[in-house]
Structure formats: structure tokens, C-alpha cells
Amino acid sequence: MKRNLLLTLCVLLFGCAGYAQQLPEGAVPSHYKLSFAPDFGTDTFKGEETIELKLAKATREITLNSAEIEFSDVTISAGGKSQKATVKTDEQSEMATFTVAKEMPAGAATVKISYTGKLNGQLRGFYLSKTAKRKYAVTQFEATDARRAFPSFDEPAYKATYDVTAVIDMGDTAISNSKIKSDKPAGTGKHAVTFEATPKMSTYLVALLVGDWKCLEGEEGGTALRVCAVPGKEQMGKYALEETKQILRYYNNYYGIKYPFGKLDQIAIPDFEAGAMENTGAITYRETALLIDDKTSSERSRRGVSSVIAHEMAHLWFGDLVTAKWWNDIWLNEGFATWMTQKPLKAMHPDWKMELEDVQDSSDAMATDSALNTRPIRQQASTKGEINSLFDGIAYGKTAAVLRMLESYLGEQTLRVGVNSYLKAHAYGNATAEDFWGALRTASNKPVDAVMQTFVMQPGVPFVELTSKCVGGKTEITSSQRRFFLDPKLFGEEHAELWQIPLCAKSVDKDGKTLNSSCRLLKAKTETFTQDGCAAAVFPNAGGTGYYRYAFDLGSMNQIGGGAEKALSSAELVSVTNNEWALVRSGRHSVSDYLAMMTTLRNVREMKVLGTLLDRISYINRYLVSDENRPQFAKWVGSYLRPMLNEVGYAPKANEPEDYKRLRPQVIGLLGIVAEDNEVIAKSREMAESYMKDPTSVNPSDVNAFLVIAAAHGDRALYEQYREHVASAKTPAEYYSYFYALADFRDPALLKETLEFALSPAVRNQDMNLVGAVMSSREGGPVAWNWVKTNWERVAAKNGGSIGAASVAFGGAGNFCDAQSRDDVKAFYETHKIQGTERGLRRQQETINNCIQIRERELPKVAQWLQQQHGE
């Protein structure tokens, strides 16, 4: 599942509350027969269910999962006898126990259940999605919400097959995991759509969607494909359909197992909390994650849609065909899919340079993992809250980063052999992390299990420091390792962690040419090894694939012929720029060192390298520059970026380099917001006015930059125009461009209106992160925080519960950088306790403290650096 920002904040920062425990052993289901009859008049549904199962021993009771279900009748047949069962529910544990008068023998049993449930508005279970014209009934079951749609053994290890029927209104259709088997009348104004039996799968992968869906159809390798949406939006599925064909072709070849689920539907849902969900044969998406308008969607939107599709389809083998036995190994599903996403995209779109995105993603994961309040990749979980908390940046980002490092160490083909043997050994079943890395060890004959245990079972990021010298015509390299922290105090302490690190070192000569590049496994705190040739410099992360921070002599790299720009590949430069910023954050280097590096690399035009450098400008401007020095910094930023703008221009040119398309909006954005460049501000207002008149008149990739700059310098009249266009937008891309630009106005009165707008019926529950967008800005942070405190109950009600409210509010609070705000955040949550948020609160306090530390340390140094630049 691809998680959206709001849900990621919830699970990353807090761990959503809940009490559900694991089921008692004793009954194992093999088949479910399910019938759902949704009623849009009452927002309820009737359910009829038959579960075929096996009892391990004689018993009078069967316990399964159930939530928000009202039972009408339960009958259990076993040993040739049928008995009515009494039902006892436990709302806290989300379980129901069926008890019969006479003991049932071990062996086969059948449970028949009649019940009713709610079509809820909470974006989970069997829930309502709405457009201006009608309601839809749709499902989202991962991790533990299938039990809201049908009583079940709602744990991943209880795989079974499913027969699904939907009794629905004439004129509506239904989509589920399998192809339609029959469609028959079912009373006045109704028809029953029955689907073919599914293969064995876990409850969380069952899907049912009811409405007037319209679909585009295609085919790839004998697999029927559809992309579906609400009427009027189906044509925006063309791009997704074509991408799906290529991705499916790639995966069929890579995995060595042809797509195993018959057909593949992909459905865009108007209301959807996550980014997407990998239900077998029926993947569900947010509209923005699947639909593309040819005229107004940006290249970034296309990359985003392709990435989400590739992620979800990777799950169809790794997660659906083979499923984790328990949620403590969900990192395998999500991290693997995150890692796998880039592979088909690299083959399909080499101009996107996804290999550089890999390096950036690994660095982002390390930023998350460099806090004291991180967690191991693999962590036990039994309650619902603990399970949900595992779907975070560690499960997705860190796992993917470790797999990239592992692939570099083992070799691409070797790792692929291990993956394929793992899938074939456990197809249609469940597996554990030990099964996975055991398969990789067998394929590679290398100690993969030992390596993975150090990265999976303990938290944190290793820090590797290299020193080198020439001895007898060879380069003698000494390495040391310890745990890396963003907090300088913690970084300076000794810690017990020890990793087995696949370190790839690259030595270069005085002309910047590579002498040697080799990988070895570091197992001890300190080790010494050699490489052939006498190196002028040694780079500790060849290819940028390592999951570790590092120290080396960057100055020596800049002294060689051509400097670091010549000696290092683009991927290595992305690694260096991110690593240097981490060393600044940790107190090992200064911001002035980083700004000097930016100056050295100012002529680089590789978007991902330069873009990584430019990403830091906004942070420096917001936190590390005083109000007194801000005009100086704005002047420096303008002088730094103006040559780039002159090069890339305000609009695309024929046959321009691909990197310019991605560099342009970033350069424009920084010139308009940080440098306060009057020409850029005026041009942005002009382009915003043009876009409002004709969305096709502005290059889609540049629209957001122009709208944001115009908003930041805009008045109420422009604000009202944006609000009008939010209401009248014809495509998802157009809607969200205006929607999020509302958070960039600077007038506190307008920001308060935006916050109130977020609570209005016009804004979907899934889009409450508009509040977080306001809080994330320098001007909007205090306004939004005070508003959230005052309107806490309203935010909680709109967002489906206090945890959702916390995710909106608390996520944005991480942008504060002063002791008063830090203490206010802490005090508020101490008096508004929310179960499951303890680690998140500690993490948020740590983030704010780290910002305070770097601000106190670097503010005078940046001021001094600026004076030197301006000769003052």
C-alpha cells in the first residue's frame, strides 16, 4: 500500500490507537462465501456469509474478528449436526465469540452468519465515497478492517479462497478481486453480481466496489486490464493503462512467474485515505494517484502515477502471492515494493534517471532513522495501534534503502535469483523475514542473514569514517563505525550498535580518474584493508548505494583535477550533498561549509544533484538566517540562482535538456519566495492570471511554482479567485494546484479562512492535510497551531477521531524551532492524551530540539559568511 502524507504522519508520528489482539488458535478457515447488499438510503449493508473451516480440537466456541457488526443469526454445522450459536462481542479487542450448547468435534465445520453493517464515513472497512451526484460503496481493509465488512479471521496467515456476490441497484455495477461469473435479477430494482472464486489470499486483500464505474480496457500477455473511475473521468485513465501494460510485462519477466490473478482492474476512488491499495486483481487508488489529464498534468504527476502503479503491482507477487505471516514482517512487503518500484521505471523511462531518485530516497530514510526515537525495521505488534504504527518511513524507506545496498553487494542477477526462489517456494502461502534472507543467502553464498539482522533488528544508521594513506604502491584504508545521530550530543557518545556493512569504496587518482572500486563487508568497529594504486582521494560510498553516513576528506576530492564534479558520478554527488547536510545537522560541519560546497557545484546542471542542494535554501532561510540578515541572504540567493533562470527560462524551449523541465520550477520558486525577486513575482502573477483563464496556457510542470509565488504575494481578491477555481476545477491536478496554494497566502486572516475551509463539507476528509500545509509555512505555523488548539474537537470530528486530528496538527508542529513552541506542543498533548502517540511526541520534541540546536550554533556563522560574501 502506498501511504499518503496524512496517513503517513499518523502512523509515523503516533501509531494509531486500537486494542485488537491476535486470535486464539483452534480454527483455520479455508473458504468464505460472502454476499453484500448495500443500501445507500440508510448507509448500511446486509451481509450473508458462510465460512468453511477446520477445528483443531473439540470445542464449544469459535472466536473470530468483528467490528461494528450487528448479528442476526449464527448457525454452526460440525460433525453432522447444526446448532444455533450465541454471540458475545468484545468491542475493545474487535472479536466475536460464537458458542454452541454441545461440543463440536475436531475437523470440518461450517459457520453461517446473517448480519448488518455500516457504510461508514471513516475511509476504512466497507465505506461511503461520494461525488456531487451520488454515493459509492468501496472497501479498504489493510491492515485490520476487513472485520468491519464481514466477520472473519482477519489476520494475514489465515489465507482462504473467497466467493463474493454483490446485490446492488439496477444500473450499478460491481468490481471485486475476480472476474464476474454471473449477473442475475435479484428482486425489484436489484441484480446480483457474482464473482469467480479467488485464489488463496488474506482477508485484507479482499475488495468490493459498487457504483456506476466507467472503465477503459486493455490487455497484456493474456491478462485483461481495466482502469476505472467515476463517469466523466474514465478517459483520464489512458496514461495509467499504457503504463500498466509495460509494468506488467516487466514484472512477468523479472519474477519468472506470470501474473497469477487472472485479471487486473485499477480503480480511482473519490475518497481514499491511502495513496493506493494492492487488493488482488482490483487495486484501488486516490484519483490523483491514477488519473492524468493530457493537457494539464505535469511531468511530476506522470512520474507519480507511474511510481504508485509500479509499487502496487510489485505487491501482487510480493505481498499478495506470498504474504507475511504476521504484521511484524509487513516491512518486507512495503519495503520490497518501494525498492522494486524503480526497476520497471528505469527500463521504461531512462530519461527520468530513477537511479538518482534511489540515492535521494535512501538519504531521506537515513534522515528519519537518525533520531533517537526511531525503531528497528522489524518490531513486534499485537494491538491494532501497534500494527498501524509499522506502516511508516522505516518500513518503506529504510527497507528499500537496505535492499538497494544489498543488491549492490550481491549483484543484481544474484539477488533476483534469490527473490524468485523465495516466491516460488511460498506461492499462495505465507513467509517470514528468515525465509526471505535465507533464500538470498542460498542464491549468493554470502552471509545475507547476518547482514540483514544487523540492519533489521536494531535501530539507527551506521556512521563510517575512512582514513587513507599510500603504502608500497597501494592505498591503505582504515575504517571505523559507530551509530549516527542528528543530535550532536548523542553523536558524540559511545553506543553499542555494531553493523555488518557492505561498504563500497572508490579510490581516484590526482586527475580524478577511478583507480579502484570494490566492496567488502565491515564487521568490526575498526578495520584496515587495501586497494591497488596510490589514491589521491577515497570516496566511501561508490555508486551512492550504501545505507550509512560517512566522513571522508571532501577537500582532497575538490583539489584533484576537475574536482568532485569530475571524480564522482551523479549518484555519488547526490549522496555527497545529502551526507554533507546530515553532517551539518549533526554539528560535525558548518552551514558555511555547505554553502561553500553549493558555490563549488553551482555550474552542475544535473537536476537531482543541483536540486538536492537547492532543497536546503528554504530551510536555511527559515531557521538559520536572522530577520536582520535575511535581505543579505535573499541577495545571495538571487545572485546564485539568476544565471540558472536565465539559462532555463520561464517556459520550455524546443529540445531543451530534460533536467531543465524539473529544475525550472524549483529555481523560479526559490527566486520568488526566498530571494523576493520582483521580476519573478510579477511574472508569476501574470502566469497565474493566464492559468486561471486557460489551464492549457501554462506549462503544467511550472503551474504550482507560479501559483504559490502569486499567493505568497497575493491579496484577498486573488485568494477569492483561487477559491472559485477550487470549486470549478475540472481535473484532479487543477483542483489540487489551487487547493494547496491556499496555504501559501501570508495574510493571517486569509490563512484562518483556509483553516475553516478545511473543516467545511466542501473539503473531503482525505484532504485534511491542508491544515498541515498551513502549519508548515513560516507565516502560517503560529496561526494554524493556535487555531488547531482552539478547534481541536472540530478537527477530530472531521478527521474521524483524535488520532487523525493529531496527525494533522502534530505533523505541522514539527516545523517549530523555538523553546516556547516546543513546550507548548508538549503541554498541549500532555493534557490531551491520545493513546499510541507517546513515541511520536518524543520524536516531535527531538525534531524541534535539533532545530533549536542548529539555529543557536549556526545563526552567527551564517551571518559572518554573508558579510564575507558582500564584503561587509
Side-chain angles (χ1 to χ4, degrees):
M1 174 161 56
K2 196 78 169 181
R3 294 269 167 153
N4 76 323
L5 173 62
L6 177 59
L7 187 58
T8 299
L9 285 171
C10 175
V11 298
L12 176 60
L13 298 178
F14 314 112
C16 307
Y19 301 91
Q21 308 290 332
Q22 284 185 253
L23 291 167
E25 296 179 355
V28 178
S30 59
H31 182 74
Y32 292 82
K33 184 176 182 180
L34 304 170
S35 177
F36 301 95
D39 184 340
F40 292 123
T42 60
D43 294 345
T44 62
F45 65 94
K46 291 183 179 180
E48 297 288 338
E49 176 179 16
T50 301
I51 309 174
E52 296 176 10
L53 53 82
K54 186 174 182 179
L55 298 174
K57 61 182 180 180
T59 183
R60 289 181 54 228
E61 62 182 36
I62 297 172
T63 299
L64 39 60
N65 295 114
S66 176
E68 299 181 353
I69 294 293
E70 292 187 11
F71 292 91
S72 302
D73 182 80
V74 177
T75 301
I76 304 178
S77 300
K81 295 181 180 180
S82 294
Q83 301 183 71
K84 295 287 185 180
T86 59
V87 180
K88 182 181 179 180
T89 59
D90 184 336
E91 294 181 5
Q92 200 171 63
S93 65
E94 297 185 345
M95 293 183 190
T97 298
F98 305 151
T99 304
V100 294
K102 296 181 179 180
E103 189 174 71
M104 299 172 288
T110 301
V111 181
K112 293 186 177 182
I113 308 169
S114 297
Y115 64 95
T116 58
K118 300 176 183 178
L119 292 173
N120 67 73
Q122 305 304 322
L123 308 181
R124 55 181 178 165
F126 201 14
Y127 71 91
L128 286 175
S129 180
K130 301 176 183 178
T131 66
K133 295 181 178 180
R134 62 157 300 159
K135 299 175 181 178
Y136 295 79
V138 298
T139 57
Q140 170 56 38
F141 292 159
E142 192 179 30
T144 58
D145 287 314
R147 64 194 65 174
R148 298 180 187 279
F150 60 101
S152 55
F153 297 85
D154 196 16
E155 296 178 3
Y158 289 112
K159 279 193 164 184
T161 56
Y162 298 82
D163 282 322
V164 177
T165 295
V167 181
I168 57 179
D169 294 335
M170 286 293 184
D172 277 353
T173 188
I175 301 171
S176 189
N177 306 89
S178 301
K179 295 178 181 179
I180 292 176
K181 180 180 179 180
S182 66
D183 189 344
K184 300 177 181 178
T188 305
K190 301 285 184 179
H191 65 128
V193 180
T194 299
F195 298 90
E196 294 179 355
T198 71
K200 285 182 66 176
M201 62 187 196
S202 302
T203 48
Y204 77 89
L205 297 170
V206 177
L208 179 64
L209 304 99
V210 177
D212 55 354
W213 309 105
K214 301 296 180 184
C215 305
L216 301 180
E217 298 183 358
E219 181 271 340
E220 172 58 41
T223 298
L225 305 175
R226 294 194 302 177
V227 175
C228 306
V230 300
K233 294 185 177 180
E234 67 272 17
Q235 292 303 316
M236 286 189 276
K238 290 180 180 178
Y239 177 83
L241 185 60
E242 292 308 309
E243 291 290 281
T244 297
K245 292 177 183 178
Q246 296 184 66
I247 294 168
L248 183 59
R249 193 179 310 139
Y250 183 94
Y251 285 158
N252 278 336
N253 177 64
Y254 183 93
Y255 290 122
I257 300 172
K258 187 177 179 180
Y259 173 69
F261 299 112
K263 59 89 177 174
L264 177 57
D265 294 330
Q266 298 180 98
I267 311 97
I269 300 174
D271 299 274
F272 195 71
E273 189 172 41
M277 176 62 208
E278 67 273 13
N279 314 299
T280 57
I283 304 175
T284 46
Y285 297 81
R286 274 194 177 207
E287 289 184 333
T288 51
L290 190 66
L291 304 181
I292 289 291
D293 178 71
D294 289 338
K295 295 181 180 179
T296 61
S297 293
S298 65
E299 182 212 12
R300 181 178 181 179
S301 295
R302 294 172 191 272
R303 289 199 314 271
V305 166
S306 298
S307 295
V308 177
I309 293 173
H311 179 102
E312 301 309 320
M313 289 181 63
H315 276 306
L316 296 170
W317 286 264
F318 214 99
D320 292 11
L321 181 65
V322 179
T323 309
K325 280 187 177 179
W326 183 245
W327 298 109
N328 64 327
D329 279 333
I330 195 61
W331 59 272
L332 256 184
N333 289 11
E334 297 300 347
F336 182 93
T338 302
W339 167 77
M340 191 69 185
T341 292
Q342 311 293 53
K343 287 189 170 296
L345 301 189
K346 289 174 186 175
M348 296 159 55
H349 304 286
D351 55 316
W352 288 359
K353 300 180 181 179
M354 299 305 292
E355 65 278 4
L356 302 187
E357 299 287 347
D358 282 345
V359 182
Q360 182 62 50
D361 290 345
S362 291
S363 184
D364 291 344
M366 284 188 272
T368 299
D369 202 24
S370 297
L372 176 64
N373 289 290
T374 185
R375 68 171 183 87
I377 288 178
R378 194 185 205 187
Q379 187 168 337
Q380 293 303 315
S382 59
T383 70
K384 184 173 184 176
E386 290 169 347
I387 292 167
N388 282 333
S389 73
L390 300 182
F391 290 83
D392 63 2
I394 297 298
Y396 289 73
K398 181 176 180 178
T399 303
V402 171
L403 287 174
R404 291 183 200 112
M405 177 176 66
L406 192 65
E407 183 180 41
S408 179
Y409 172 57
L410 301 182
E412 184 174 357
Q413 185 56 32
T414 299
L415 188 138
R416 179 181 173 184
V417 169
V419 166
N420 292 355
S421 65
Y422 165 84
L423 292 173
K424 290 174 182 176
H426 302 283
Y428 301 104
N430 298 86
T432 66
E434 287 78 9
D435 295 324
F436 177 64
W437 61 52
L440 298 184
R441 178 182 179 117
T442 299
S444 65
N445 200 28
K446 290 184 177 180
V448 177
D449 49 349
V451 173
M452 290 294 282
Q453 284 179 25
T454 64
F455 281 92
V456 171
M457 305 303 288
Q458 63 184 355
V461 179
F463 176 73
V464 177
E465 189 161 12
L466 295 187
T467 58
S468 62
K469 60 183 178 181
C470 187
V471 178
K474 294 188 176 184
T475 302
E476 183 179 277
I477 302 169
T478 299
S479 70
S480 63
Q481 64 160 291
R482 57 193 170 107
R483 184 172 173 180
F484 179 83
F485 286 98
L486 290 178
D487 186 327
K489 294 178 182 178
L490 292 172
F491 191 19
E493 298 173 355
E494 289 295 322
H495 297 271
E497 291 86 0
L498 179 66
W499 286 266
Q500 294 204 15
I501 306 171
L503 179 130
C504 297
K506 169 181 172 178
S507 58
V508 298
D509 64 15
K510 60 183 178 62
D511 296 318
K513 295 180 181 179
T514 300
L515 287 173
N516 196 295
S517 184
S518 59
C519 300
R520 64 181 293 111
L521 199 59
L522 302 183
K523 299 180 181 180
K525 286 283 187 180
T526 303
E527 297 184 33
T528 299
F529 56 97
T530 61
Q531 286 187 342
D532 291 338
C534 279
V538 177
F539 178 61
N541 191 14
T545 59
Y547 190 79
Y548 46 84
R549 295 300 188 193
Y550 51 87
F552 78 112
D553 187 0
L554 180 60
S556 67
M557 193 68 73
N558 286 326
Q559 295 303 313
I560 63 178
E565 185 178 345
K566 178 181 177 181
L568 301 178
S569 68
S570 293
E572 290 161 351
L573 284 173
V574 173
S575 173
V576 165
T577 56
N578 279 292
N579 190 75
E580 286 299 297
W581 182 248
L583 295 181
V584 171
R585 294 288 302 275
S586 68
R588 192 178 179 99
H589 289 176
S590 170
V591 171
S592 57
D593 297 327
Y594 193 85
L595 291 168
M597 182 179 68
M598 289 183 66
T599 302
T600 300
L601 297 176
R602 70 188 308 158
N603 294 320
V604 172
R605 288 299 177 267
E606 175 68 70
M607 168 54 204
K608 204 62 198 178
V609 178
L610 186 57
T612 301
L613 291 169
L614 299 186
D615 281 343
R616 316 304 178 195
I617 289 178
S618 292
Y619 184 96
I620 295 170
N621 179 63
R622 180 169 179 176
Y623 299 119
L624 308 183
V625 177
S626 66
D627 291 340
E628 179 184 357
N629 294 125
R630 191 159 283 111
Q632 290 178 307
F633 187 66
K635 183 178 179 181
W636 180 82
V637 171
S639 66
Y640 184 79
L641 294 178
R642 174 52 69 168
M644 300 181 198
L645 180 61
N646 293 340
E647 201 172 320
V648 302
Y650 286 107
K653 303 178 183 69
N655 302 317
E656 71 177 3
E658 193 69 26
D659 284 319
Y660 284 15
K661 296 176 183 177
R662 300 172 68 182
L663 182 61
R664 181 181 298 107
Q666 190 172 19
V667 170
I668 290 171
L670 290 170
L671 281 169
I673 300 298
V674 177
E676 299 280 345
D677 186 294
N678 289 327
E679 177 194 301
V680 172
I681 293 169
K683 184 67 174 179
S684 297
R685 182 61 181 256
E686 174 191 330
M687 299 302 282
E689 296 285 355
S690 178
Y691 182 73
M692 286 189 286
K693 293 175 183 176
D694 177 10
T696 66
S697 65
V698 180
N699 178 42
S701 295
D702 304 328
V703 165
N704 288 342
F706 292 132
L707 290 179
V708 165
I709 294 169
H713 301 89
D715 54 14
R716 174 168 290 279
L718 184 64
Y719 181 85
E720 295 296 342
Q721 286 181 286
Y722 280 19
R723 285 284 295 268
E724 291 171 5
H725 282 279
V726 168
S728 62
K730 293 181 173 58
T731 69
E734 187 180 346
Y735 175 87
Y736 285 107
S737 291
Y738 290 113
F739 181 79
Y740 285 113
L742 295 175
D744 293 293
F745 285 83
R746 293 175 176 174
D747 183 343
L750 297 179
L751 293 174
K752 288 179 182 177
E753 289 188 30
T754 296
L755 294 167
E756 288 294 328
F757 173 60
L759 289 185
S760 73
V763 173
R764 298 179 184 277
N765 292 7
Q766 68 177 17
D767 294 327
M768 277 291 288
N769 48 353
L770 180 61
V771 175
V774 175
M775 195 178 294
S776 296
S777 70
R778 184 157 61 101
E779 294 78 12
V783 175
W785 176 243
N786 288 328
W787 178 87
V788 164
K789 289 188 295 181
T790 303
N791 294 277
W792 180 258
E793 298 302 326
R794 296 171 63 208
V795 173
K798 169 80 174 183
N799 213 46
S802 57
I803 283 292
S807 68
V808 171
F810 206 22
N815 291 288
F816 292 137
C817 194
D818 63 282
Q820 182 178 344
S821 297
R822 175 199 63 201
D823 296 343
D824 189 32
V825 170
K826 182 178 181 181
F828 182 79
Y829 283 99
E830 285 178 347
T831 56
H832 295 75
K833 291 187 181 297
I834 306 167
Q835 186 166 1
T837 66
E838 294 82 7
R839 182 168 62 88
L841 181 57
R842 294 194 300 271
R843 175 66 182 274
Q844 201 73 295
Q845 292 287 299
E846 186 177 352
T847 300
I848 298 172
N849 280 332
N850 184 247
C851 186
I852 294 171
Q853 288 172 337
I854 189 174
R855 180 177 173 83
E856 292 176 347
R857 186 176 68 244
E858 297 295 335
L859 199 69
K861 295 179 182 179
V862 173
Q864 183 180 9
W865 186 85
L866 286 170
Q867 289 173 359
Q868 293 171 351
Q869 300 306 302
H870 295 285
E872 299 176 4

